[in-house]
Amino acid sequence: MQVTETLSDGLKRGFTVTVPAQEIESKRSARLKEVGQSMKLPGFRPGKVPLSIVKQRFGTEVQGEILEQVVGDATRKLLDERGLRPAMQPKVDIVSGGEPDSKSDLEFKVEFEVLPEIPVPDLSSLSLTRLKSAVNAETVDKALKEIAGRQREFETITEDRPAAKGDVLTVDFVGKIDGVAFDGGSADDVNVEIGGAGFIPGFAEQLEGMKAGDEKVITVTFPADYQAENLAGKEATFDIKGKALKRPVEVKIDDELAKKLGFEGLDQVRELITKQVEQEYEQLSRLRLKRDLLDQLAEKTAFEAPPGMVDAEFAQIWNRIEEDRKAGRLDDEDKDKDEETLRADYRKIAERRVKLGLLLAEIGRVNNITVTQDEMLQAIRAEAMRYPGQEQAVFEFFGKNPQAADSLRGPIFENKVIDYIVELAKVEDKEVTPEELAEMPEATV
């Protein structure tokens, strides 16, 4: 094949590639014969169908297959011979010789952006602080109270009095918008704690003062970020019918409660809670350490990010921003910004993400960090467990969709590279309170 360089501008490269017609014809003929060997047609013995008929039926399909193969092979050879690493999938345009039965040489153009030279900084020079927090008795006691609260029972209030805060009113309700009942807005025998959480803001509060047998119409407004988009931000009325008034019965936090939950005693429950909270603290600690690490690495990314990769990353970010803006979920600091300012800010974030991604990938590459088959299998198995009864379908999905598998491989690879860097960096442990550990800094990546 013949290769002519047509573009060399920064990270952009362009080439015109010519593949001799006889090479295309040889591959095309061989493939048509192969198809003919397995082709069954009335009046012909297997493998004896004339090549002209095979070409008539499958010529276009085979031509496309051969072109894809030849262009792919030629492009890979070009990249290998010139030591080029494309940042994204090369763009290919057929110039001539791509038609079925063409006698002309195949000529195509290929353009792409190459990865820049990515210098790996001295990782041992990084100084990181790993925040740690111990699980205290107050945290465990609070968790126990929440567990006990979920196990509480209710007793009927026999005295004739209105519902007060802390009481539980059993109600039937019908939700309406503009006088028309909406899907999912009606229910019977629902326990509503007066002044409690779990309902639309203003719903439980307006039931205070009702008695069993009372009927009332209340008006509430769904939050702007309500999960059902057809209801978000809308005003609705609810026809309420009180049916029974109850009070919660205090649940003692003791061994009996533990046994009710399936444990031998309260100490076993405390031990489990402590381990779970420790895991949460470890995750928070790792997340804080990772952000600290990435912030320091970002200052050392002194190379140009491929514009195409930045464009692709920005497009993903901007789609989410537009969705959040339509749903009224923009962060407070973004709400008053004009679109031009928002675009500029998030393009900087996109560029930072691309640079950090490339740097982490390069650190992994030069240090032979890879994701093993066992690690992938474990990740797919964990994903499959989220879909009980469909585990086999999940395994088949990832087996047939390499891009989906890459979505699992990426985070595993990144975590392994982060662990490698942390091992080389200077890390100082610092004890903090649980509240300080939970005070997450603003995310930039």
Side-chain angles (χ1 to χ4, degrees):
M1 71 178 187
Q2 294 182 342
V3 178
T4 303
E5 187 174 42
T6 58
L7 174 64
S8 180
D9 182 14
L11 299 178
K12 295 181 179 180
R13 297 290 185 275
F15 300 89
T16 295
V17 181
T18 302
V19 180
Q22 56 266 34
E23 181 178 336
I24 305 295
E25 178 57 31
S26 175
K27 292 179 181 293
R28 183 167 50 210
S29 298
R31 180 57 180 146
L32 286 170
K33 288 179 182 179
E34 185 180 335
V35 172
Q37 290 296 319
S38 59
M39 184 176 177
K40 295 181 180 179
L41 197 65
F44 297 95
R45 286 181 297 164
K48 298 298 182 180
V49 179
L51 189 60
S52 58
I53 296 179
V54 178
K55 185 181 297 186
Q56 182 181 6
R57 292 201 172 193
F58 297 101
T60 301
E61 181 181 336
V62 167
Q63 178 71 4
E65 181 182 329
I66 295 303
L67 285 180
E68 182 177 355
Q69 176 189 337
V70 170
V71 169
D73 290 345
T75 302
R76 282 188 289 272
K77 184 178 179 181
L78 160 66
L79 296 175
D80 290 342
E81 289 181 347
R82 297 182 179 240
L84 300 174
R85 291 195 294 158
M88 300 176 70
Q89 185 68 26
K91 177 186 175 183
V92 174
D93 291 314
I94 304 295
V95 177
S96 62
E99 307 82 7
D101 295 325
S102 174
K103 303 301 181 183
S104 302
D105 293 342
L106 172 65
E107 182 179 323
F108 67 91
K109 293 181 178 180
V110 57
E111 294 185 353
F112 51 89
E113 292 175 347
V114 295
L115 290 175
E117 288 294 326
I118 304 173
V120 175
D122 179 7
L123 302 178
S124 64
S125 67
L126 299 176
S127 295
L128 305 172
T129 300
R130 178 163 45 210
L131 305 182
K132 290 194 170 186
S133 184
V135 181
N136 54 42
E138 292 179 1
T139 301
V140 178
D141 289 341
K142 181 180 178 182
L144 280 172
K145 288 181 180 179
E146 291 176 354
I147 292 173
R150 292 194 292 270
Q151 297 297 318
R152 65 181 179 173
E153 297 178 349
F154 303 92
E155 62 180 11
T156 301
I157 298 174
T158 56
E159 60 183 295
D160 183 22
R161 68 169 177 80
K165 285 185 178 179
D167 290 338
V168 173
L169 186 65
T170 303
V171 302
D172 296 343
F173 61 78
V174 178
K176 301 176 181 178
I177 293 180
D178 297 330
V180 179
F182 56 89
D183 291 340
S186 302
D188 294 335
D189 298 322
V190 178
N191 291 325
V192 181
E193 181 179 349
I194 307 303
F199 287 84
I200 307 164
F203 186 99
E205 293 84 345
Q206 294 186 62
L207 304 192
E208 186 174 357
M210 288 188 69
K211 295 181 179 180
D214 285 354
E215 296 186 7
K216 183 179 184 180
V217 178
I218 65 173
T219 301
V220 298
T221 301
F222 285 93
D225 59 352
Y226 193 66
Q227 57 186 4
E229 294 184 4
N230 61 314
L231 301 176
K234 292 188 177 180
E235 185 179 85
T237 62
F238 284 86
D239 298 343
I240 309 291
K241 181 180 180 180
K243 300 181 73 174
L245 187 60
K246 305 174 184 179
R247 67 166 62 91
V249 179
E250 183 179 354
V251 177
K252 291 184 179 180
I253 302 175
D254 54 16
D255 287 339
E256 290 303 314
L257 173 62
K259 291 175 182 177
K260 185 178 179 181
L261 295 171
F263 296 91
E264 295 179 359
L266 191 60
D267 288 344
Q268 193 176 28
V269 180
R270 284 184 173 277
E271 183 180 350
L272 177 62
I273 292 173
T274 301
K275 288 182 179 179
Q276 290 177 337
V277 176
E278 285 176 345
Q279 290 176 354
E280 292 175 7
Y281 287 178
E282 287 175 3
Q283 290 174 354
L284 283 172
S285 176
R286 178 179 173 80
L287 188 55
R288 293 288 296 268
L289 183 69
K290 179 179 177 180
R291 288 190 179 180
D292 185 10
L293 185 154
L294 292 178
D295 285 342
Q296 292 190 41
L297 286 182
E299 296 176 359
K300 302 178 183 296
T301 54
F303 55 85
E304 180 186 357
M309 295 185 72
V310 176
D311 289 343
E313 182 66 29
F314 174 75
Q316 290 186 353
I317 296 174
W318 192 249
N319 284 338
R320 179 180 58 80
I321 294 300
E322 289 191 319
E323 289 176 1
D324 288 348
R325 182 159 54 183
K326 291 176 182 177
R329 296 193 299 262
L330 273 184
D331 294 338
D332 290 338
E333 63 180 59
D334 287 340
K335 288 180 179 178
D336 297 328
K337 294 180 181 178
D338 57 52
E339 183 166 322
E340 183 178 354
T341 301
L342 270 179
R343 283 182 173 273
D345 288 348
Y346 281 100
R347 189 165 186 85
K348 289 180 182 178
I349 291 176
E351 184 174 0
R352 171 188 160 106
R353 288 183 180 179
V354 168
K355 284 186 172 184
L356 282 172
L358 290 175
L359 179 55
L360 292 177
E362 184 67 6
I363 293 172
R365 187 184 71 85
V366 299
N367 292 286
N368 299 314
I369 299 173
T370 59
V371 177
T372 67
Q373 188 173 359
D374 285 345
E375 288 168 335
M376 280 299 298
L377 187 61
Q378 187 176 357
I380 295 174
R381 187 179 293 116
E383 189 70 14
M385 289 177 63
R386 297 174 53 200
Y387 303 91
Q390 303 179 53
E391 291 86 352
Q392 187 60 37
V394 173
F395 272 91
E396 291 177 358
F397 171 77
F398 284 107
K400 296 177 181 178
N401 294 272
Q403 287 186 333
D406 286 341
S407 69
L408 297 180
R409 181 179 289 103
I412 299 173
F413 175 79
E414 181 178 287
N415 283 329
K416 293 184 74 171
V417 174
I418 293 294
D419 289 341
Y420 174 81
I421 298 172
V422 170
E423 285 294 322
L424 296 177
K426 301 180 183 69
V427 181
E428 176 188 0
D429 290 335
K430 179 181 179 182
E431 289 290 334
V432 296
T433 65
E435 291 75 21
E436 290 172 326
L437 181 63
E439 289 176 0
M440 297 301 297
E442 181 181 351
T444 51
V445 296

